[in-house]
Amino acid sequence: LPDVPIIRQDFADYLGEAQAFDAGLGVLLAELERIGELDNTMIVVSGDHGIPGFPRGKCNLYDFGVAVPLAISWGDKISAKGRVVDDFVNLPDLAPTFLEAAGETPPDVMAGRSLLPVLTSGKTGLVDASRDYVVVGRERHVAAARLNALPYPQRAIRTMDFLYIHNVKPDRWPMGVGPGYG
C-alpha cells in the first residue's frame, strides 16, 4: 500500500478499534476474576474477516479476507496456555465445542466438529491431522453490490501450502456493474 496519510489514518483507525475491543475485554476478564469465575468460564474471542477498505481485506476469499483470529481460554481445562495451534477451524466448530464443554453430545446434524480434543491435547502445530484444510465461500457481501442483488459466488479451499479459489460467475464484477453484466 502507498505510504500516504489517508492509508496511515485508515490503518490507525483499525488498530484503534482493536485497542478499544482489548480494553473492553480486559474489563470483562477482570470482573470474572473478581467474582471467582474466570477459571470456570470458557472465553472465546473471534474477530471479523478482513480489514475494511484495504485490498483483499473484504469481499474476497484470499487469506486477508477470510482469516479470522480465534483465541480460547478455559482456566486449567485447556492445556499449555499460550500455545499456537495450526489446525484449520471454522466458526461452526464452536457450537459443538460449547455443547461438549457443557457435558452434552453434539447432534450428528451439526456440520462443525468439537474443538475440545484439540484444545485439551497440549500439543502445538497441527494437532488433528484431519484439520489440514478449510473450505470457505462467498455469495455477496452486501445486497446492493450490483443490480438485482445478483451474487458474485466464489468457493475456495485453503491448505497449509495452497489456496484454490473458484469464481462461479467470473463474468460478473465483484462489485458494481461492468462490461458483460449478467
Side-chain angles (χ1 to χ4, degrees), residues 1-2 11 16 54 59-60 64 70 83 91 114 168 174:
L1 297 174
F11 197 70
F54 285 82
C59 303
N60 71 77
F64 195 46
L70 177 65
R83 71 191 169 107
L91 292 182
S114 173
V168 179

Side-chain angles (χ1 to χ4, degrees), residues 59-101:
C59 303
N60 71 77
L61 300 183
Y62 292 99
D63 292 342
F64 195 46
V66 297
V68 176
L70 177 65
I72 302 174
S73 70
W74 192 17
D76 60 3
K77 295 176 182 76
I78 294 179
S79 305
K81 293 177 183 172
R83 71 191 169 107
V84 175
V85 175
D86 294 327
D87 294 44
F88 285 92
V89 301
N90 265 320
L91 292 182
D93 293 332
L94 293 179
T97 302
F98 297 151
L99 286 171
E100 189 175 336

